[in-house]
């Protein structure tokens, strides 16, 4: 424990550093603004898919308000928890939180849950333009509806132009409460949440509606009334697509309109044209469409489930040419969803993504070789009869004390101090269920050398059932990574990396791992903090499918006490500094 | 902040005092024992009334385990919260918590919620024999099933004898989750929870079963199979009855068997015989029955809703004479439930209770006059369109920082420092809805002089709807009170108290207020701490029907940090002492 005087001096130093950071931000971005929001999180009755449910809402609305800011701005969200007994946190998905790792909004990792009645002030800089979103990151509160869009406009010219834009946040929806879903996932025997009841576009869907039977409605003021995109002819529009689905991987199409992909997860990509786009939970894209079709018609915008055997009605809304009545239906059927198990087609889409190389927006290629390579085997296992997802045979069970504090303040009892495994047995056969069906649960941390380059190879395998391997979109907090390679089968150390793209591999924060394949990502551990890296499917994370990474935590001077006062940290002396 | 050395010295002093207390307890009670329990609180699927629901369980069972201890014992419950996102606390209903007010288990008042993954160790002395129970005291977690029995056996002879005993904890049950119930209660327009779907006896009931249609089952191993009381003929049994209902007031009867009431809320009463017994939420009784009926038959034990217009099937189980097959049904119909609105009969029962005057068990009469009289008007009002219950026009809204810490450490921003009103306008007409339908919300505290005698007159009134006044069982934490009087209409200061019984008024922790009437209680504010005093109906408390009292908090040396590290206390230096 440091004395009062030292602490005050440190405090000034830290505050000084923070202002220096703001100053640096101000130099890089003209006229940065501080954007203030006051949010109340509460549960309300709402009808996302025309069926009433309890929904986690912000300021009485679902989804939560869209945040729009400009690169370089500081976003300040004064969040009050108006729930009755549940804590809450909000993760700002895709925002780097450089210098503010305690603002990442991950319970057990970056902060304590904000308890009912408490207010926590999220303050962070959005330094990178792009299409982002935010969502709850505690229990399965994202599935409960706690999400919204976060759009960071560019402060400088972008490598493409457009006349207007729309923001589309995709999600999936269940009628069964997340509380019951959670119980089922922990039950013996296991009860799966099943496929979503509905898909939502900007929080709006229609449960089980049928075009054939005429039960889908495209007009009205209902909470579930579709979000219709009204456009002028012969213009270019940017569609900002993001997916915060709990489970569904999606294929999105705009009838008769080509899409040119220009951004992925807040990073510009070399433009490429597609008829339809695959988007996995945790991902975002910008696509440009030209409204060059017959302007006396409307056109379907559709999203359907792929990657899992679907059992959910396709989500639909309309691209409405302005001279046509908004709810007028196209004469044609909606775009057909590609076969759900056409993984070749999905991989082909993934392979099209390349980092942009043109002019000022060019992104650096990855360092040519890593300092360390970690292989993470993704398996489905049993623990005390419960079905779990495990990484190198350990299913993640988050501790009550946030890692950021327990690492910084050396609370050695807070989590398992032994390093989790970096690899898995050479002889592991990824094509069949695990020979040893049992895994352990754990909460160890991959400690990364500060500023080192790290490769992670995400190795998919067979789940518990024979001939089953699932899609897992892995999301990394606090960093972007280069997706240096995909492969089928097992990654072969010394061989597979020869095929890595270290020239123009796409920069992202989420990368999908295909069934029976591997995905390799590379990043530089240059952001002091403790960071989640996990499958972005909500039930999978809930079942333990994630790891925790940390780097440079000792470089953080002090962490706002308000972020960390729980678990073992509750007994620490107060060290309030900036923020929080 | 005190220095380390002083703190250690204080700690020793406090620990010393604690051991002195234990020593004193040991002298009063022969062979006191420390009874250890390890509990995990989690939500599970369970079928309390033969319909599956999510239920808050302890160690995988509903209701939670029964604690049995002997007067003078120390109970240690190591409670781990295994919920996903909800905090939890457990209140030990009827236990005085003298010297351990931070163990009272009331969120916002005596402690912070125990967050998911955290463990809190409840440690307290059960110094008074009696029939008690425990339950969640956060949000509506009691309604969610978080409760169980707590039986404190006498260390010395009791003023009655019996050959065997049974423990019966009554509750009511809804199929709609408490999360949805809570949303409805806060919604505009208001959505009432409606009458319970079922009544439960020791957590077991049968939804909508019909004796006539033969759909009630009295045999089997189901979770909802009735708890049958098997007795030998010609013996005396003690039935320990407690009610933790969320809403229902009950009338309980044992077919053909008289009940002699001998205990109320852990206090001996002058025995009296009844055919049936009225029990309100928060109350407990012991009754003696003689098994003097035809031993070749079984007999109904029944409980039905009174006090509100009922819409719930009567709860049934069997008194089974040992030579008869346990599930054999009586030939006769179950005891009829008295008319739900026969308040005269209910009042007559309440008036029968007298403090015992015989031999060693005699309880002291109340001090003849109080130092202070507080009148609390119970009304139903509106606040921003929401329906609330208000006390002297203030609806209680609990703050995130527990009062015990904010009073002790003078965190003046933690709650409204202005004292709440001690009375209500002379001209208030209790027979009609409030002229001003609006109330305010607040969180002020009634600060009581230490060791002073306080009267509280609970004045009922008309609710929002005309010709409606409800039953409210008020429960006081940390104290017993003498129920010095009941009256119809409005309490008239200077006149009504002339009728107070200050000779043998019953000692209790819960007292019912009848429609359009008043109930007066007297207690000595001799237990340092912050204490809830509230309507024990779960939705009513949730809608603000309670107050907070505090006395002698400055006499508490230090409070375990683990109990209080939340809200504004999160920024306080750690002051860990004993316990917690």
């Amino acid at each position: 424990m440091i004395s009062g005087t030292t602490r005050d001096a440190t405090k000034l130093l830290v505050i000084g550093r923070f202002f220096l950071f703001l100053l640096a931000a101000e130099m890089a971005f003209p006229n940065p603004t501080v954007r203030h929001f006051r949010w109340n999180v509460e549960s309300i009755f709402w009808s996302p898919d025309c069926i009433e449910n309890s929904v986690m809402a912000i300021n009485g609305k679902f989804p939560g308000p869209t945040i729009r800011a400009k690169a370089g701005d500081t976003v300040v969200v004064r969040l009050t928890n108006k729930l009755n007994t549940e804590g809450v946190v909000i993760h700002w998905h895709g925002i780097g939180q450089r210098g503010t790792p305690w603002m990442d909004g991950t319970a057990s990792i970056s902060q304590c849950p904000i308890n009912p009645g408490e207010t926590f002030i999220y303050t962070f800089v959005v330094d990178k333009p792009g299409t982002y979103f935010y969502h709850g990151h505690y229990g399965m509160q994202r599935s409960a509806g706690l999400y919204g869009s976060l759009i960071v406009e560019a402060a400088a010219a972008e490598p493409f132009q457009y006349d207007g834009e729309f923001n589309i946040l995709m999600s999936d929806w269940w009628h069964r409460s997340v509380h019951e879903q959670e119980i089922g996932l922990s039950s013996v025997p296991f009860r799966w949440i099943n496929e979503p009841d509905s898909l939502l576009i900007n929080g709006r869907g229609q449960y089980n509606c049928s075009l054939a039977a005429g039960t889908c409605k495209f007009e009205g003021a209902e909470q579930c009334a579709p979000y219709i995109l009204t456009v002028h002819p012969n213009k270019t529009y940017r569609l900002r697509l993001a997916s915060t689905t709990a489970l569904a991987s999606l294929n999105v199409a705009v009838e008769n309109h080509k899409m040119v992909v220009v951004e992925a997860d807040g990073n510009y990509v070399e433009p490429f044209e597609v008829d339809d786009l695959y988007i996995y939970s945790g991902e975002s894209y910008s696509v440009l469409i030209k409204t060059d079709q017959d302007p006396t018609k409307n056109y379907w915008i559709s999203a359907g489930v792929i990657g899992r055997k679907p059992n959910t009605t396709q989500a639909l809304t309309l691209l409405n040419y302005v001279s046509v009545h908004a709810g007028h239906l196209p004469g044609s059927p909606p775009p057909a969803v590609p076969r759900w198990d056409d993984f070749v087609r999905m991989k082909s889409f993934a392979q099209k993504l390349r980092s942009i190389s043109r002019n000022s927006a060019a992104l650096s290629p990855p360092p040519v070789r890593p300092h360390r390579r970690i292989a993470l085997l993704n398996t489905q296992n049993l623990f005390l009869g419960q079905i779990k997802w495990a990484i190198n045979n350990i299913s993640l069970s988050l501790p009550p004390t946030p890692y950021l504090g327990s690492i910084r303040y050396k609370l050695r009892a807070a989590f398992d101090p032994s390093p989790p495994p970096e690899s898995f047995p050479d002889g592991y056969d990824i094509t069949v269920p695990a020979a040893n069906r049992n895994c352990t649960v754990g909460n160890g941390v991959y400690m990364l050398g500060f500023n080192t380059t790290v490769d992670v190879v995400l190795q998919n395998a067979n789940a518990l059932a024979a001939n089953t391997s699932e899609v897992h979109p892995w999301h990394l907090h606090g960093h972007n990574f280069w997706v240096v390679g995909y492969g089928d089968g097992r990654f072969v150390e010394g061989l597979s990396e020869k095929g890595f793209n270290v020239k123009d591999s796409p920069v992202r924060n989420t990368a999908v791992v295909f069934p029976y394949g591997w995905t390799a990502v590379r990043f530089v551990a240059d952001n002091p903090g403790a960071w989640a890296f996990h499958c972005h499917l909500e039930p999978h994370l809930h079942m333990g499918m994630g790891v925790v990474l940390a780097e440079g935590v000792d470089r953080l001077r002090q962490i706002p006490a308000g972020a960390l006062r729980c678990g073992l940290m509750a007994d620490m002396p107060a060290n309030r500094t900036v923020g929080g």
Side-chain angles (χ1 to χ4, degrees), chain A residues 437-501:
Chain A
R437 287 152 59 91
N438 293 312
C439 65
T440 61
V441 296
N443 57 26
V445 175
Y446 290 92
M447 297 289 185
L448 308 178
F450 187 64
N451 265 335
T452 59
T453 299
V454 179
D455 274 9
V456 177
V457 176
L458 298 157
Q459 175 68 60
N460 213 337
N462 201 102
L464 278 170
N467 301 313
T468 308
S469 183
E470 299 193 11
V471 165
H472 303 290
W474 277 75
H475 170 64
L476 177 59
H477 291 229
H479 305 77
N480 282 294
F481 46 58
W482 292 271
V483 187
V484 290
Y486 295 95
D488 292 331
R490 184 165 170 163
F491 184 87
V492 183
E493 191 73 44
L495 185 65
S496 298
E497 69 264 34
K498 291 201 178 19
F500 281 2
N501 172 5

Side-chain angles (χ1 to χ4, degrees), chain A residues 86-381:
Chain A
E86 288 187 69
V88 78
V89 295
I90 305 259
H91 170 56
W92 315 95
H93 186 108
I95 305 300
Q97 302 295 358
R98 198 162 286 269
T100 52
W102 47 83
M103 295 300 181
D104 193 43
T106 41
S108 289
I109 301 175
S110 69
Q111 73 170 118
C112 299
I114 305 160
N115 277 335
E118 292 181 351
T119 296
F120 183 85
I121 303 171
Y122 286 101
T123 307
F124 53 90
V125 173
V126 290
D127 53 354
K128 206 155 172 293
T131 302
Y132 304 107
F133 54 104
Y134 61 83
H135 59 79
H137 211 294
Y138 191 33
M140 288 176 56
Q141 292 182 342
R142 174 160 62 92
S143 278
L146 188 56
Y147 46 75
S149 294
L150 198 178
I151 306 300
V152 182
E153 296 165 4
E158 295 191 279
F160 47 84
Q161 292 183 324
Y162 49 94
D163 303 303
E165 68 171 80
F166 294 95
N167 174 37
I168 291 179
L169 181 61
M170 303 294 313
S171 58
D172 43 9
W173 189 249
W174 281 257
H175 296 153
R176 186 160 235 211
S177 77
V178 295
H179 299 105
E180 295 214 345
Q181 291 180 39
E182 287 168 339
I183 299 173
L185 293 174
S186 302
S187 288
V188 180
F190 182 71
R191 299 199 201 171
W192 177 236
I193 63 170
N194 298 323
E195 293 302 304
D197 290 310
S198 301
L199 298 177
L200 308 180
I201 297 175
N202 287 340
R204 292 150 179 272
Q206 296 185 64
Y207 175 61
N208 239 352
C209 89
S210 158
L211 282 173
T215 57
C216 304
K217 290 180 63 182
F218 291 88
E219 299 183 86
E222 296 92 347
Q223 289 167 346
C224 61
Y227 171 83
I228 289 175
L229 288 66
T230 300
V231 293
H232 289 266
N234 297 312
K235 300 282 184 191
T236 299
Y237 288 91
R238 178 181 191 166
L239 305 189
R240 295 176 177 273
L241 299 166
S243 173
T244 184
T245 52
L247 182 64
S249 303
L250 300 173
N251 181 274
V252 177
V254 183
E255 184 191 6
N256 277 20
H257 292 71
K258 301 279 186 193
M259 295 187 275
V260 176
V261 181
V262 293
E263 180 217 336
D265 300 357
N267 300 285
Y268 298 124
V269 297
E270 201 56 44
F272 63 99
E273 191 179 84
V274 289
D275 288 316
D276 56 271
L277 171 140
Y278 289 100
I279 185 166
Y280 304 89
S281 179
E283 293 186 335
S284 66
Y285 288 102
S286 283
V287 300
L288 302 180
I289 58 166
K290 284 219 175 81
T291 49
D292 54 5
Q293 297 299 302
D294 178 355
T296 66
K297 289 177 56 185
N298 287 339
Y299 299 86
W300 292 114
I301 299 176
S302 67
V305 174
I306 48 86
R308 312 176 56 87
K309 193 170 178 193
N311 192 25
T312 311
T313 306
Q314 186 180 22
L316 294 176
T317 187
L318 296 171
L319 185 74
N320 161 237
Y321 277 69
V322 66
S323 60
V324 188
H325 182 69
H328 182 75
L329 297 195
S332 42
V337 185
R339 245 185 44 232
W340 71 269
D341 56 354
D342 189 348
F343 295 107
V344 171
R345 197 168 184 277
M346 292 175 220
K347 289 174 199 172
S348 158
F349 178 85
Q351 296 282 8
K352 286 192 176 119
L353 286 151
R354 290 282 180 270
S355 196
I356 199 164
S357 56
R358 290 184 297 176
N359 59 47
S360 66
L363 295 164
S364 330
V368 177
R369 65 183 56 80
H371 296 94
R372 179 176 174 187
R373 181 167 297 138
I374 299 171
L376 300 180
L377 177 68
N378 294 204
T379 55
Q380 200 181 35
N381 299 82

Side-chain angles (χ1 to χ4, degrees), chain A residues 1-8:
Chain A
M1 182 184 159
I2 50 176
S3 78
T5 317
T6 316
R7 200 165 63 231
D8 288 348

